[in-house]
Amino acid sequence: MLFAFLCNDKPDSLQLRLDTRTAHLDYLNGLGDQLKFAGPFLGDDTKPNGSLVIVDSVDLEAAKQIAANDPYAKAGLFASVDIRPWNWAIKNPDNK
């Protein structure tokens, strides 16, 4: 089952994001095929201010664990994280 992580950064936390970015990317890449795609949300100034992460997980509790173990989450970057089941209906490469 797919889950979307909709993450909003705390105000004035760009430096924390930048300082933690390498560990965050290593973590996401370490998820292998469980990670479907990910990337930052951008503010009007085109600087990152949140994240969208889509993972394949057995259930909501397992998805919550993935989100909680993200170095961004551990560093306290996010003001909020909404985890929602998601259906990749259009242009899903797994639906051939």
Side-chain angles (χ1 to χ4, degrees):
M1 177 175 240
L2 296 178
F3 290 90
F5 304 169
L6 301 145
C7 310
N8 296 299
D9 292 1
K10 291 178 179 174
D12 302 316
S13 61
L14 180 58
Q15 191 59 52
L16 177 58
R17 173 178 276 274
L18 296 174
D19 292 345
T20 316
R21 185 173 187 269
T22 299
H24 165 73
L25 294 177
D26 288 346
Y27 176 73
L28 291 182
N29 284 319
L31 294 174
D33 290 340
Q34 230 181 337
L35 176 68
K36 295 305 180 182
F37 59 86
F41 290 115
L42 303 175
D44 292 338
D45 59 1
T46 70
K47 293 182 179 159
N49 64 7
S51 298
L52 171 64
V53 179
I54 306 294
V55 298
D56 189 356
S57 184
V58 294
D59 59 26
L60 179 59
E61 288 307 311
K64 286 179 180 179
Q65 282 301 110
I66 293 169
N69 287 322
D70 186 318
Y72 278 171
K74 287 183 172 187
L77 175 64
F78 300 130
S80 66
V81 177
D82 186 22
I83 301 173
R84 300 168 61 181
W86 186 71
N87 181 26
W88 191 352
I90 309 299
K91 293 198 175 191
N92 181 341
D94 292 337
N95 294 339
K96 297 177 183 176

